[in-house]
Amino acid sequence: MAVSARAADADADTAADAVAPVQGPHPVDVRPPLRRLVPLSLQHLLVAYAGMATMPLLVGTALHLPEDRIRLLITANLLVSGLATLLQSLGLKGFAGARLPLVMGSTFTAITPAVLIGQEHGLAAVFGATIVSGLVTLAVAPWFGRCLHLFPPLVTGTVIAVIGFSLVPSAAGLVSGGGSGGKGLALAAVTVVLVVLVERLAPPAVARFSVLVAMAAGTALAVPMGLFDGSGVTGAAAVTVPEPAAFGAPTFVVPAIAAMLVVQLVNMVESVGDTLAVGQIVGRGDDAPTVVRALRADGASTVVSGALSSFPIVTFGQSVGLVSVTRVKSRHVVALSGALMVLLAFVPVLGAAVAAVPGPVLGGVSLVMFGTVGAVGLRIVSRADLTDSRNLLTVALAFGLGMIPVGAPDFYAPLPSYARTVLDSGIAVTGIVAFLLNLLFHHTPALQLRPRKESAR
């Protein structure tokens, strides 16, 4: 009976979604009641928090910053990520914001360049380069919109798939980190199983909270297993104020700017893919004007990020996975999660409570999210004609070359640092290879030695 009721409810939800654009607001614009809005927003926040804290933590640790300065980097990153999420989900009419359920945050792609720039020129140069890269994004966003036909499902789907699958090792790192050993593996496995069981057996109203339920249950289970550490909550300050001036005014160094522009190019390709993917999932916004507004939000947020002592901002792939798993399409859910991020920036004790979620629990959930992102990418790729050998070769080479940095992180170690800035990013390599091969096979008439199939485009 429970399964039948769930199926009936799911059919009703599907029917409601199908008629919403005609008879009422689109599901993306629907604001859930507060009793659902808050936990759904918290679900997005918990999934994204680890990534938001990890990037500034790794950069600060690599630059040997004192602990109080690392905390300032994390606080600044939370503040900017929250503001960027609000801009992207709510939008600034006629200018920026995709008005889609997209969580924003700092990108792992910038870690290595930020460390290298910081070691040679100081963090002020990192922030200055971040500001310039944001301004360039604002300038070229319309061009990306006009060239969207050069990013068909063959390209964007491949990039999205590699985004998801290349992040799986980071989920594994969360599971194995901290010396949790076999207990950590068991806890992560239980968390994954809980997500599956809630998704399969619970009614739709509860299934939408499958990730949150699994995280709460996993955290509770971690206590008797000795894998829960709440000491950070008791030692955290109740209230604080971000201090952008703590690192000095941004400086503008040409080599640092050049390196960060390469990073930002990768970010733009990733943002295009994530925006189109979410647009297809929710049934709105997978078009050029939305992509332009999304990139403008990226650019504006990155400018503000550099000014507030943080790093380049990009769409979070986790949000794509969570929207796909939970089927919650409302952008207002994500907007509230952005507001909660801003709150965490000023109330560190709350951030410490979020950070207390055990690594194996976050790792198990992240495995589901990243795998879902990869699956969404494959679904988009399947829209291309893979019986065409040229399309198959494009996907094969883009995947193969893009996964090299994931499986062999030191593969490009003998090359100069400026080359490694690009090649060490599997996402960058995938995007470049897929884009160029699609251009060669389908948009270069002089080299078309046999008729191409329209469906391949």
Side-chain angles (χ1 to χ4, degrees):
M1 290 295 292
V3 175
S4 299
R6 173 181 167 83
D9 289 344
D11 290 341
D13 285 351
T14 302
D17 285 355
V19 300
V22 177
Q23 298 184 356
H26 193 282
V28 171
D29 297 320
V30 173
R31 183 184 290 106
L34 193 62
R35 67 180 184 278
R36 291 178 54 207
L37 181 63
V38 172
L40 287 171
S41 300
L42 185 60
Q43 191 168 236
H44 272 283
L45 174 64
L46 290 172
V47 168
Y49 183 87
M52 293 176 185
T54 300
M55 198 279 183
L57 176 63
L58 291 177
V59 172
T61 302
L63 295 178
H64 307 291
L65 297 180
E67 187 175 338
D68 62 326
R69 288 294 184 266
I70 294 177
R71 283 199 299 269
L72 287 178
L73 286 178
I74 295 175
T75 298
N77 189 255
L78 277 172
L79 174 61
V80 175
S81 297
L83 294 174
T85 300
L86 286 167
L87 175 60
Q88 193 71 278
S89 56
L90 299 180
L92 190 59
K93 189 173 182 180
F95 175 68
R99 295 170 66 85
L100 292 173
L102 287 166
V103 174
M104 307 290 288
S106 55
T107 168
F108 285 10
T109 311
I111 291 177
T112 300
V115 171
L116 294 176
I117 294 169
Q119 290 172 341
E120 188 168 351
H121 304 287
L123 270 177
V126 176
F127 304 142
T130 299
I131 291 174
V132 174
S133 67
L135 292 172
V136 170
T137 303
L138 283 169
V140 304
W143 178 84
F144 258 77
R146 288 193 294 270
C147 296
L148 198 59
H149 65 285
L150 299 178
F151 295 89
L154 182 71
V155 175
T156 57
T158 304
V159 171
I160 293 167
V162 170
I163 288 173
F165 296 138
S166 66
L167 289 173
V168 169
S170 67
L174 287 170
V175 173
S176 60
S180 55
K183 289 184 178 180
L185 291 174
L187 184 57
V190 169
T191 304
V192 172
V193 169
L194 284 171
V195 173
V196 173
L197 290 178
V198 174
E199 173 65 25
R200 175 65 182 87
L201 301 177
V206 177
R208 288 187 171 92
F209 301 95
S210 59
V211 173
L212 185 61
V213 170
M215 293 182 75
T219 301
L221 183 61
V223 176
M225 296 177 68
L227 297 178
F228 179 81
D229 181 10
S231 60
V233 179
T234 57
V239 179
T240 189
V241 177
E243 302 178 38
F247 301 95
T251 59
F252 302 94
V253 181
V254 173
I257 292 172
M260 202 59 77
L261 286 176
V262 174
V263 170
Q264 196 64 7
L265 176 62
V266 178
N267 293 344
M268 285 188 281
V269 173
E270 183 174 349
S271 283
V272 169
D274 285 342
T275 302
L276 293 176
V278 168
Q280 291 170 17
I281 291 170
V282 303
R284 189 182 81 179
D286 54 338
D287 52 35
T290 302
V291 167
V292 171
R293 293 195 303 270
L295 289 175
R296 283 176 175 163
D298 284 6
S301 301
T302 297
V303 171
V304 174
S305 186
L308 295 180
S309 302
S310 195
F311 309 98
I313 298 295
V314 70
T315 52
F316 258 29
Q318 293 97 314
S319 66
V320 179
L322 192 55
V323 171
S324 182
V325 168
T326 64
R327 303 175 301 282
V328 177
K329 303 175 182 179
S330 174
R331 58 191 174 91
H332 297 287
V333 169
V334 169
L336 181 56
S337 70
L340 293 174
M341 293 175 211
V342 174
L343 178 63
L344 293 183
F346 290 92
V347 188
V349 67
L350 295 180
V354 174
V357 176
V361 174
L362 282 174
V365 168
S366 297
L367 178 63
V368 177
M369 294 300 100
F370 297 147
T372 302
V373 173
V376 168
L378 294 179
R379 184 174 66 188
I380 294 173
V381 170
S382 68
R383 294 172 54 191
D385 180 9
L386 295 182
T387 63
D388 187 325
S389 60
R390 295 168 295 180
N391 289 345
L392 195 62
L393 181 60
T394 299
V395 175
L397 285 176
F399 256 101
L401 295 174
M403 295 303 289
I404 286 177
V406 179
D410 297 324
F411 187 82
Y412 297 110
L415 300 181
S417 59
Y418 63 83
R420 293 190 61 186
T421 300
V422 178
L423 297 176
D424 278 348
S425 169
I427 299 170
V429 173
T430 300
I432 292 170
V433 172
F435 176 81
L436 291 179
L437 288 180
N438 178 68
L439 199 65
L440 174 67
F441 289 142
H442 300 298
H443 296 276
T444 313
L447 295 178
Q448 289 174 6
L449 302 181
R450 62 181 184 272
R452 68 186 180 198
K453 298 179 182 179
E454 288 301 319
S455 58
R457 301 179 64 186

